[in-house]
Amino acid sequence: MNGKYYIYIFLCVFGLIQLSPHEAKAGSYGPPVKISLPDAEEIYPSVYAIPFSRAGNLILVKAKADTTEGNFILDTGCPHLVLNATYFRHYPVQESLEDGTGATAGAFSVQHTRVADFSFGTNHFYQVDADLTDLGSIENSRGIKLLGLIGVELLRKFELIIDYENNLIYLHRLDRKGTSVFEQDQLADTSAYQVIPIRIMDSRIMVETVVGGKKLRLVIDSGSEANLLDSRLPEKVFAEVSITGRTTMMGVGGKKIDVLKGELNTLHIGGVDIRQMKVLVTNLEKTCFSHAGCVDGVLGFDFLSLKKIGFNFVKNKMFVWK
């Protein structure tokens, strides 16, 4: 299999990790999911506020692929654009890819195509490469019509802030140096947030963290309903985890597995200590990638929703509000 798509398939399994409906409901907050979403509001030139809703703990935004408009998941666990084959089966297939399996060991097939015009908020992208795969398992589990996933490559020229409390995404278009004439109001008070370096590797967000004195490389994934730790990590790491029971996790192929759940006592990330954070423990042996090696886990909803959080994808910075 081509190495590029080998990475992509496994990452999108990360990006579509779902909890059982009971667990997802317990971790949710904010208003119920709304399928009809308003358009983006322009705040300043190049700065837009895009309302979002949630299916479980997955972020839904309204977007349009050519003439088809509807719900897409904002998924930083996927590198590119993904289309639900159910609604785009008439698109020409440029390349057929082998079946993939991922963190939940569920198999799924992927094909490659192209979208002439993709838009969300007020942003348009032209001649966008996309993958076609069946997202029916997510639609069935969440009771929504889902057209696809918006991945990291579509965000690479932006500053992105996710405000779960107010159900808003702020998108700020940047120049090649990562700056703009108009600064987002949320970033004006530099004492209100911590700046943490990130790396974009294989079109995914990587951050260095410390647990139990051990350095861990974690993927930041807005499409994962839970934080994950690899069960093969050293004992010093799991000395910081209090196991509280088991739950069910499902990937893009619909395969369900039982995993351990617990609380991580302390996660050190930059100059920020996150305490008593929910985690799932499972074997992540399927998460090694061509350029970045293996990852030690995933930071999903239970991390991202703790505080307001933002990213500058040009300067490779993450903003975590205090």
Side-chain angles (χ1 to χ4, degrees), residues 13 19 31 34 44 92 107 117 142 151 153 164 168 251 262 264 276 314:
V13 174
L19 300 177
K34 300 175 183 177
Y44 304 108
D117 181 2
R142 295 294 176 243
E153 280 302 310
Y164 279 93
L168 288 173
L264 178 61
Q276 303 307 122
V314 179

Side-chain angles (χ1 to χ4, degrees), residues 69-213:
E69 186 173 18
N71 295 304
F72 283 74
I73 291 174
L74 179 70
D75 187 353
T76 62
C78 273
H80 307 294
L81 177 66
V82 181
L83 300 178
N84 190 343
T86 300
Y87 310 109
F88 297 92
R89 61 178 71 254
H90 60 286
Y91 272 48
V93 175
Q94 298 179 351
E95 183 179 5
S96 294
L97 308 177
E98 297 179 29
D99 290 351
T101 57
T104 58
F108 56 98
S109 61
V110 180
Q111 295 177 314
H112 192 53
T113 189
R114 178 167 291 179
V115 175
D117 181 2
F118 181 78
S119 62
F120 72 101
T122 58
N123 303 289
H124 284 261
F125 307 85
Y126 301 100
Q127 298 302 318
V128 180
D129 290 333
D131 280 352
L132 282 167
T133 193
D134 183 6
L135 301 179
S137 61
I138 303 172
E139 292 188 298
N140 294 336
S141 66
R142 295 294 176 243
I144 60 170
K145 179 179 178 180
L146 179 64
L147 297 187
L149 318 172
I150 298 172
V152 169
E153 280 302 310
L154 293 175
L155 307 172
R156 290 295 294 269
K157 295 181 180 179
F158 292 91
E159 202 165 53
L160 167 73
I161 295 176
I162 305 175
D163 184 347
Y164 279 93
E165 184 175 359
N166 295 302
N167 291 329
L168 288 173
I169 295 168
Y170 295 92
L171 272 183
H172 184 189
R173 185 176 288 276
L174 305 173
D175 61 22
R176 292 182 179 180
K177 295 182 179 180
T179 57
S180 175
V181 175
F182 299 94
E183 182 179 45
Q184 294 208 45
D185 286 345
Q186 291 91 338
L187 297 175
D189 182 5
T190 57
S191 65
Y193 55 87
Q194 179 82 26
V195 179
I196 298 170
I198 57 175
R199 299 180 69 186
I200 307 298
M201 303 182 69
D202 294 327
S203 298
R204 56 188 170 153
I205 307 169
M206 302 286 295
V207 65
E208 299 286 341
T209 67
V210 178
V211 175

Side-chain angles (χ1 to χ4, degrees), residues 24 37 47-48 51-52 61 93 98 103 108 136 145-147 149 162 182 213 215-216 252 255 285 288:
L37 299 173
V47 181
Y48 302 93
F52 69 83
V61 297
V93 175
E98 297 179 29
F108 56 98
K145 179 179 178 180
L146 179 64
L147 297 187
L149 318 172
I162 305 175
F182 299 94
K215 293 182 179 180
L216 304 182
V252 68
K255 175 71 173 182
E285 64 181 341
C288 295

